[in-house]
Amino acid sequence: MFKNLFTSRQSLKTRKDELIVKNYPKSPVSEAYRNMRTNLSFISPDKPLKTIVVTSTAVAEGKSLTLVNLALSMAQNGSKVIIIDADLRKPMQHKFFEMTNFNGLSSVLTGEIEFAECLRETNTENISLISTGVIPPNPAELLNSQRMEEVLAEASEKADIVLVDTPPVVAVTDAAILANKVDGTMLVIASQETDQRMMLRAQITLERAHANIIGVVLNKYPAHNNSNYNYYYYYGQQSSG
């Protein structure tokens, strides 16, 4: 039965089915996310991280899925979480919560609405969402604006932790731009899929942006050689100035 719960993504009917921590809280996958949450709390116990970017080296490595399940784990532990979907090229977070995406981050950054108008409660306790809103023609410029820094500051005041979903770091500059504005950056890589040269390039790009790389998430890790489902495992952490 357990294998049937974690078959390939194609078998899942909706994105909300991928909320493993919520739907299957006793599974080993959910426990892995709880371990990730605990590891993050150990990184800076005296000054907890308030804003964290979650990115990947390339597409389809599971960064958005990792972020939302980490958020669920934190929320279940009593933390107030705000998810900011800053992937202004391929938004995903609103789909997990089955929400609309008409007004969001892009609307705030262009001055069309105020921060309070874009921050919405989800159907999950302790989690609020700022979706992307309408996809703009100039994502990098908007994310590099002073207003984006203000959005991060406002979100930090209203939540215990702010998780920011960004495009892959190697593909465009968006992740590097935001990594420079937050307390820490997590890099998601796909086990047995991600090219080592891409990983190195992602690391160099983030370091050049003066990002504080706090850890790496090894995604799609096969726990059993003969299984057809994936585990998610957090390994290692490092702090930089």
Side-chain angles (χ1 to χ4, degrees), residues 122-188:
T122 68
N123 54 13
T124 300
E125 185 178 5
N126 290 333
I127 296 183
S128 300
L129 172 67
I130 299 176
S131 62
T132 61
V134 177
I135 303 302
N138 56 338
E141 287 77 7
L142 290 179
L143 296 176
N144 200 30
S145 65
Q146 177 63 35
R147 184 56 181 139
M148 184 65 210
E149 296 184 14
E150 295 170 355
V151 167
L152 289 169
E154 290 181 74
S156 296
E157 292 178 359
K158 296 182 179 297
D160 298 310
I161 185 73
V162 180
L163 300 177
V164 186
D165 193 350
T166 74
V169 66
V170 174
V172 290
T173 61
D174 303 22
I177 289 172
L178 287 173
N180 184 254
K181 301 179 185 295
V182 299
D183 298 332
T185 299
M186 292 174 56
L187 184 64
V188 177

Side-chain angles (χ1 to χ4, degrees), residues 1-58:
M1 179 179 178
F2 185 69
K3 282 190 177 182
N4 293 333
L5 294 178
F6 298 98
T7 51
S8 62
R9 179 174 298 177
Q10 287 76 10
S11 67
L12 299 172
K13 294 181 180 179
T14 64
R15 300 302 308 210
K16 74 174 182 178
D17 294 326
E18 296 179 275
L19 302 181
I20 305 300
V21 172
K22 183 176 183 179
N23 297 330
Y24 311 107
K26 296 183 179 180
S27 70
V29 182
S30 295
E31 183 60 29
Y33 281 113
R34 287 190 285 270
N35 288 337
M36 187 193 307
R37 178 194 70 202
T38 301
N39 288 343
L40 287 173
S41 68
F42 288 152
I43 292 177
S44 182
D46 295 329
K47 187 179 179 182
L49 303 171
K50 290 281 290 185
T51 53
I52 298 176
V53 154
V54 179
T55 187
S56 61
T57 60

